[in-house]
Amino acid sequence: MYTLPTKLKLFSIILMVLGLVGIIFGFLTTPKTIDDVRKIMAEQESHHGEGHAVDGQDGADTANFVDEARGEEGYSGAAMEHATDLKAEGHGAASHEEHVLHQLQTRPWSATFVAAFFFMMIALGVLVFYAIQFASQAGWSPVLYRIMEGITAYLLPGSVIVFLIVVFAGTHFYPWQDHELVAGDKILQDKSGYLNFPFFLIRGVIYILGWNLYRYFSRRNSLAQAGANNYDHYRKNFKASVFFLIFFLVTEATMSWDWFMSMTPHWYSTLFAWYIFATMFVSGITVIALVTIHLKGLGLIPFVSDKHLHDLGKYIFAFSIFWTYLWFGQFMLIWYANIPEEVTYFIIRIQEYQGLFFGMLILNFVFPILVLMNSDYKRIPWFVVIAAVFVLVGHYIDVFLLVMPSTVGHNWSFGIPEIAALLFFMGLFIFVVGMGLGKVSLKPENDPFIKESENYHF
Amino acid sequence: MSSHYEAPIREPLVLGEKSYHDISVDVGAPVLGKANKSWWIVFTIALVAFLWGLGCIIYTISTGIGVWGLNKTVGWAWDITNFVWWVGIGHAGTLISAVLLLFRQKWRMAVNRSAEAMTIFAVVQAGLFPIIHMGRPWLAYWVLPIPNQFGSLWVNFNSPLLWDVFAISTYLSISLVFWWTGLLPDFAMIRDRTDSPFQKKIYGILSFGWSGRVKDWQRFEEVSLVLAGLATPLVLSVHTIVSFDFATSVVPGWHSTIYPPYFVAGAIFSGFAMVQTLLIIMRKVSHLESYITVLHIEYMNKVILLTGGIVTVAYAIEFFIGWYSGVPYENYTYLSFGAATGPYWWAFWALITCNFIVPLTLWVKALRRNIMYTFFVALIINIGMWFERFDIIVVNITKDRLTSSWAMFQPTFVDIGTFMGTIGFFFVLFLLYARTFPVIAQAEVKTILKSSGESFKRLRAEHGDD
């Protein structure tokens, strides 16, 4: 039986309090009026002087748009307008300042959302991994079931918070919720059959309801199985997992469109949903490894051996490569064809977020592939911890890059709101997961494959 | 590799009272025995089809590509459809031998040898099309970056068609090496069991002097694992690169970022359907029912369900994003309202019926454990996946951006004959393989006999695990 160590508990509470203060500070210090924006911009100018590099690049950006060169008013023209919208030099001075005001006001929302989603997706990724273990009748992983269930305890609070953020963010995140904008935009009008608020709300409710119901029932069955003398609860879980996986495959796609892709409602990519899935999945597996190492360090799970850690390491390794495969698939195809509607997404990310955009690849691909290639290293806890930390930082950046360029554009920075949100949700995550792990015995007795799992060698 | 303990809840993978010796005898029998009449009949049919196809190919090359049904709008049709179809079929073999090895699926051992053979033979068929669809196939060697007398004129590495050359040739070579390595202990078994001096000579050469020492086995296992680790990204990348042929373009319906994983899922889907088709017959005629059991068929059906599900979701995503994009051209792509009601409506609905509706029935346990029914569904999927490639390639380009260049495609007898010829060639190779190669990896099956054999599981149930 695990109890959250008092120090860790205190630590998580401190993180939450500090984070909450920071988040509130972030919301309170956003500029309220255009005058505030002018003041901020004047301050920035005195700091940076005249040489603003962005000005020089602006012409180069728009030159990339073929339709602009042709001087035609078309669909890509509308897309381009959106791209320039996200940059400082969008329109005339007045609307430009208005635009900056909006982006600055969005920043605390985005900062909170990035961190909130990052920790929720870990819990969701673990839940999917857990369901796959049941559906595939895995023989190695049953010793880790309680650990996975402990982590997915975060899904309920995490997903509710994420849901509340996307519902209340309104036009901060989702331009299609701005009726004035939609009235003048033919593309958005055409999409309003899908991108409308009531439907958006209903879909969100379905997602979090479905995911949390599976988590609730699978946990209940799993615990009931420990005290049973037949495999009925296990069989129920097997079925539930299969149906959850189908449900997830569909809702994950629509969730990605709803919560992320519609932040830039003119842009679309068919791979997008699966790309987000890969991020989610690899982060989830990484956290399973971290929690396992923590519990193993406390001596609470003698039945988990370094062979199990080895397997988790292999999964981190494999799905890091899988993530990169999807990242590259999406990026290369859009880069190669260079269709104006599509490239806007990467233009802003490469021009305004270059360090993060390419740095993420080193963290998420180069690092795990080098560190976790050797099979001996995958059995050394501290080695896996190092790889895991890098992978998690990398995927935080990944989520950051999904959200920030689409919402705050070039007015981004990494300061108090971002750090505070990260601290708050980390504290909440540690607290909830610690509590979730603590309620029951860490060994799932009576699972049909538990003996296979305990005797597992590789 | 993994522990010898196995949960009693798992079903046995080797049926009957089999011993190590029985396995050798059963696997060796088709190789050491004589072919029967029906083998000769089927072989003759396949050979005739192959020769007919060969005639069509020679006719095409000597007369010109114009003998095919292509036109100025539709420059790729049956040629590339068949190419992608055959490459896709080949993918299940590597999936079974490599990915399932990494996932330590013991059931793969009874099916991997034939699945890999199928890979090799399917890739050989696929490899024909990039050559014969060229206008000047005798200059095909120009795709290779060889130093030359044209001021060392080089290839352009930006074309996915060139990536195809590297992908397919690497895929074929790695698969061949992987397959052959696995065959060494089994060839040695045939070498040691045959009475004919001729066979002894041949299998002695084929088995490279394998004597099965401890050190050999250690290295054998390690090589298998490394090759599996390399073949897994390879199998993903090969069909990804095939998908790039379309996805890198700006053709509406072709340009879609989901293509890489979607093509791979479709490849596994169609490949497993082909494995089912072949193995259901093979287990019967070669009397291997104890090794390729209903459980194996059910597992493969589950893989078909999974990959079919992924492919279906990809269809839905394509359909949705086509609408969501708001691009009017997207209404003529292969998965759009326009396609469902347009001149190729029958191809659209063939795709939906064969790849989505019919495989859905496999969710019923009784049906996916029914061998006859599985055979039927597998055939349907093979047809459906051919239509998927046909739809992607042909339907998308028949209605491109300019209405003035809209056209239809009508295959000629040469298109059809070439395709039939590759099917014939495939079966010629596969039938020869089934008579001369150990079709089940007996060395591997022997490693799971005591953990997963029916009689041994029963013994454990009676006398306890330890």
Side-chain angles (χ1 to χ4, degrees):
Chain A
M1 194 88 87
Y2 172 81
T3 41
L4 187 60
T6 329
K7 274 186 188 165
L8 200 56
K9 196 178 199 170
L10 190 66
F11 176 66
S12 71
I13 291 170
I14 292 171
L15 284 181
M16 278 192 274
V17 173
L18 274 178
L20 203 59
V21 170
I23 291 173
I24 293 168
F25 172 81
F27 274 97
L28 291 180
T29 51
T30 55
K32 301 283 170 297
T33 60
I34 289 189
D35 288 333
D36 295 343
V37 173
R38 290 205 181 104
K39 245 182 258 166
I40 292 171
M41 285 166 63
E43 240 173 74
Q44 274 177 351
E45 226 149 275
S46 65
H47 275 294
H48 294 294
E50 285 301 301
H52 217 275
V54 187
D55 293 328
Q57 291 173 0
D58 191 42
D61 283 355
T62 41
N64 286 333
F65 293 105
V66 180
D67 284 46
E68 177 70 359
R70 270 199 235 124
E72 281 172 18
E73 193 59 47
Y75 278 83
S76 50
M80 193 197 66
E81 215 169 280
H82 178 71
T84 42
D85 252 12
L86 291 168
K87 301 182 59 63
E89 300 78 7
H91 306 282
S95 78
H96 164 54
E97 280 158 354
E98 212 170 287
H99 199 71
V100 174
L101 174 68
H102 185 241
Q103 290 187 334
L104 291 175
Q105 284 176 339
T106 298
R107 188 179 155 202
W109 283 95
S110 299
T112 316
F113 181 56
V114 170
F117 184 80
F118 176 69
F119 285 99
M120 185 212 88
M121 81 171 186
I122 289 172
L124 189 56
V126 173
L127 191 67
V128 177
F129 190 74
Y130 178 74
I132 291 174
Q133 302 311 305
F134 270 101
S136 62
Q137 303 184 313
W140 69 278
S141 54
V143 290
L144 303 173
Y145 281 171
R146 290 286 176 269
I147 297 171
M148 298 184 211
E149 288 163 12
I151 300 169
T152 54
Y154 181 77
L155 186 67
L156 183 62
S159 61
V160 169
I161 293 171
V162 166
F163 176 70
L164 291 177
I165 295 174
V166 295
V167 166
F168 287 104
T171 55
H172 285 304
F173 287 174
Y174 306 113
W176 53 267
Q177 290 183 10
D178 180 348
H179 297 296
E180 235 175 274
L181 183 77
V182 174
D185 190 325
K186 190 175 172 310
I187 297 179
L188 293 189
Q189 285 162 21
D190 287 347
K191 292 183 186 189
S192 62
Y194 185 78
L195 294 181
N196 62 71
F197 190 68
F199 192 24
F200 179 79
L201 202 66
I202 293 168
R203 288 196 302 267
V205 171
I206 292 173
Y207 308 154
I208 61 166
L209 214 59
W211 302 337
N212 283 299
L213 280 177
Y214 168 69
R215 142 76 200 168
Y216 174 77
F217 282 110
S218 64
R219 164 85 166 174
R220 206 174 67 164
N221 281 328
S222 177
L223 293 184
Q225 181 62 51
N229 48 14
N230 57 27
Y231 291 142
D232 286 351
H233 295 286
Y234 159 78
R235 291 209 164 83
K236 271 188 210 160
N237 249 4
F238 174 81
K239 279 204 176 123
S241 305
V242 171
F243 286 105
F244 166 72
L245 287 172
I246 301 172
F247 176 80
F248 177 78
L249 192 61
V250 176
T251 51
E252 194 273 333
T254 49
M255 178 274 284
S256 318
W257 302 334
D258 288 356
W259 295 352
F260 295 97
M261 204 159 87
S262 79
M263 285 175 170
T264 44
H266 282 196
W267 183 79
Y268 51 88
S269 166
T270 41
L271 184 60
F272 192 69
W274 294 357
Y275 168 70
I276 291 189
F277 165 72
T279 301
M280 205 178 261
F281 199 56
V282 71
S283 313
I285 297 167
T286 308
V287 171
I288 297 175
L290 282 179
V291 176
T292 305
I293 291 168
H294 170 66
L295 295 176
K296 186 84 185 150
L298 294 173
L300 291 168
I301 41 173
F303 44 87
V304 176
S305 69
D306 59 351
K307 281 92 181 172
H308 297 99
L309 188 62
H310 186 160
D311 268 13
L312 286 170
K314 277 191 277 193
Y315 272 108
I316 299 173
F317 174 81
F319 281 94
S320 291
I321 299 172
F322 182 70
W323 174 88
T324 316
Y325 163 64
L326 294 186
W327 176 88
F328 178 75
Q330 180 167 272
F331 172 74
M332 193 280 277
L333 289 176
I334 289 175
W335 168 82
Y336 193 111
N338 204 20
I339 298 174
E341 291 101 312
E342 292 183 356
V343 286
T344 52
Y345 187 80
F346 287 111
I347 285 181
I348 182 160
R349 278 161 180 78
I350 289 176
Q351 287 181 350
E352 304 289 340
Y353 295 78
Q354 199 170 46
L356 289 180
F357 188 73
F358 293 109
M360 162 176 90
L361 287 180
I362 296 171
L363 293 172
N364 289 345
F365 176 59
V366 181
F367 210 82
I369 207 174
L370 293 180
V371 174
L372 295 176
M373 177 80 86
N374 188 315
S375 90
D376 295 333
Y377 292 174
K378 286 188 277 255
R379 298 186 181 201
I380 303 170
W382 65 267
F383 238 102
V384 178
V385 169
I386 289 181
V389 168
F390 275 86
V391 167
L392 286 178
V393 171
H395 286 283
Y396 171 80
I397 297 174
D398 192 17
V399 179
F400 189 84
L401 285 176
L402 284 174
V403 175
M404 289 296 178
S406 307
T407 55
V408 300
H410 95 302
N411 280 305
W412 70 280
S413 54
F414 193 80
I416 291 173
E418 287 80 10
I419 294 167
L422 204 50
L423 295 182
F424 174 77
F425 287 103
M426 191 192 287
L428 188 66
F429 188 82
I430 294 172
F431 187 81
V432 174
V433 172
M435 290 303 179
L437 284 168
K439 284 173 193 146
V440 287
S441 154
L442 285 171
K443 190 170 166 189
E445 301 286 356
N446 285 329
D447 184 279
F449 299 109
I450 187 74
K451 197 173 168 199
E452 237 182 67
S453 181
E454 274 181 279
N455 290 314
Y456 165 68
H457 299 291
F458 181 75
Chain B
M1 257 170 86
S2 52
S3 117
H4 282 290
Y5 173 77
E6 188 175 276
I9 194 173
R10 294 197 196 275
E11 287 180 58
L13 291 168
V14 181
L15 298 181
E17 303 280 334
K18 295 290 178 190
S19 64
Y20 288 149
H21 179 69
D22 294 332
I23 296 176
S24 303
V25 171
D26 291 346
V27 174
V31 184
L32 301 171
K34 285 230 179 319
N36 60 15
K37 208 163 127 194
S38 36
W39 185 89
W40 281 108
I41 294 171
V42 179
F43 182 75
T44 311
I45 297 171
L47 193 66
V48 169
F50 167 45
L51 292 174
W52 172 250
L54 201 62
C56 287
I57 291 172
I58 292 168
Y59 176 56
T60 307
I61 292 173
S62 55
T63 312
I65 283 292
V67 299
W68 289 358
L70 301 175
N71 53 52
K72 279 203 277 184
T73 297
V74 184
W76 277 354
W78 277 52
D79 46 353
I80 302 300
T81 300
N82 299 335
F83 163 69
V84 182
W85 188 72
W86 278 119
V87 180
I89 282 173
H91 275 51
T94 317
L95 190 96
I96 288 172
S97 52
V99 179
L100 296 185
L101 176 75
L102 296 182
F103 283 117
R104 295 188 292 260
Q105 296 297 306
K106 291 176 179 171
W107 62 271
R108 63 174 261 288
M109 291 171 182
V111 293
N112 60 352
R113 177 65 41 75
S114 297
E116 287 167 50
M118 185 196 75
T119 295
I120 313 272
F121 304 147
V123 174
V124 167
Q125 308 313 320
L128 287 172
F129 286 100
I131 310 275
I132 62 172
H133 92 306
M134 289 180 175
R136 297 177 189 84
W138 48 90
L139 296 181
Y141 69 97
W142 283 12
V143 304
L144 302 173
I146 317 169
N148 54 55
Q149 291 170 317
F150 299 103
S152 220
L153 182 65
W154 221 243
V155 288
N156 185 337
F157 286 99
N158 291 336
S159 166
L161 299 182
L162 182 66
W163 309 340
D164 268 345
V165 174
F166 301 127
I168 302 292
S169 54
T170 312
Y171 187 52
L172 183 62
S173 13
I174 299 281
S175 301
L176 203 57
V177 170
F178 196 11
W179 188 49
W180 206 273
T181 320
L183 273 162
L184 294 178
D186 292 7
F187 279 146
M189 182 272 285
I190 303 280
R191 172 197 67 197
D192 297 343
R193 290 189 60 79
T194 181
D195 295 326
S196 128
F198 176 70
Q199 276 194 327
K200 215 171 200 67
K201 183 92 193 145
I202 296 290
Y203 288 100
I205 294 168
L206 294 181
S207 60
F208 293 176
W210 176 268
S211 55
R213 285 165 303 192
V214 172
K215 205 72 205 167
D216 297 347
W217 278 113
Q218 263 177 13
R219 287 176 180 146
F220 177 88
E221 295 264 318
E222 225 162 287
V223 164
S224 307
L225 203 58
V226 170
L227 279 178
L230 290 173
T232 302
L234 187 66
V235 73
L236 262 80
S237 68
V238 168
H239 221 64
T240 291
I241 287 169
V242 170
S243 83
F244 285 167
D245 293 348
F246 312 103
T248 52
S249 73
V250 291
V251 175
W254 279 10
H255 180 73
S256 174
T257 49
I258 207 170
Y259 269 25
Y262 152 60
F263 265 54
V264 173
I268 298 164
F269 182 55
S270 69
F272 266 82
M274 190 57 118
V275 177
Q276 294 277 35
T277 319
L278 297 173
L279 287 188
I280 285 174
I281 295 174
M282 180 183 265
R283 69 192 285 278
K284 196 85 196 155
V285 297
S286 298
H287 307 294
L288 297 169
E289 289 99 330
S290 301
Y291 306 100
I292 303 169
T293 67
V294 174
L295 185 64
H296 290 83
I297 288 168
E298 187 187 11
Y299 281 152
M300 289 195 276
N301 276 334
K302 283 183 176 178
V303 177
I304 287 177
L305 270 180
L306 172 70
T307 48
I310 292 172
V311 169
T312 303
V313 170
Y315 293 161
I317 291 176
E318 283 268 321
F319 200 95
F320 174 80
I321 299 287
W323 169 82
Y324 181 87
S325 71
V327 177
Y329 304 112
E330 291 279 340
N331 192 30
Y332 301 112
T333 62
Y334 74 109
L335 281 170
S336 62
F337 188 72
T341 54
Y344 281 108
W345 62 271
W346 47 273
F348 175 92
W349 290 107
L351 163 82
I352 300 294
T353 313
C354 299
N355 288 354
F356 170 54
I357 297 171
V358 173
L360 273 185
T361 56
L362 292 178
W363 281 100
V364 181
K365 185 164 184 165
L367 291 179
R368 68 170 180 262
R369 286 183 83 101
N370 182 320
I371 296 173
M372 281 307 287
Y373 186 75
T374 300
F375 186 73
F376 163 74
V377 173
L379 270 182
I380 297 282
I381 292 171
N382 281 320
I383 296 168
M385 284 307 291
W386 190 87
F387 271 107
E388 185 197 291
R389 277 66 182 253
F390 177 80
D391 288 11
I392 287 175
I393 294 166
V394 177
V395 176
N396 280 331
I397 49 176
T398 50
K399 288 193 173 176
D400 204 337
R401 288 195 161 83
L402 284 175
T403 45
S404 58
S405 61
W406 285 7
M408 291 289 287
F409 170 77
Q410 200 69 48
T412 65
F413 80 93
V414 192
D415 284 299
I416 299 166
T418 309
F419 181 44
M420 292 300 152
T422 55
I423 293 176
F425 191 13
F426 176 81
F427 277 103
V428 164
L429 292 172
F430 198 83
L431 285 164
L432 287 173
Y433 149 82
R435 298 279 319 123
T436 49
F437 280 51
V439 292
I440 283 183
Q442 52 89 25
E444 293 202 59
V445 171
K446 284 174 184 170
T447 65
I448 59 163
L449 179 66
K450 288 192 173 167
S451 64
S452 311
E454 190 183 20
S455 50
F456 289 92
K457 279 183 92 83
R458 196 172 51 239
L459 277 177
R460 264 207 312 276
E462 282 160 10
H463 301 288
D465 292 332
D466 311 301

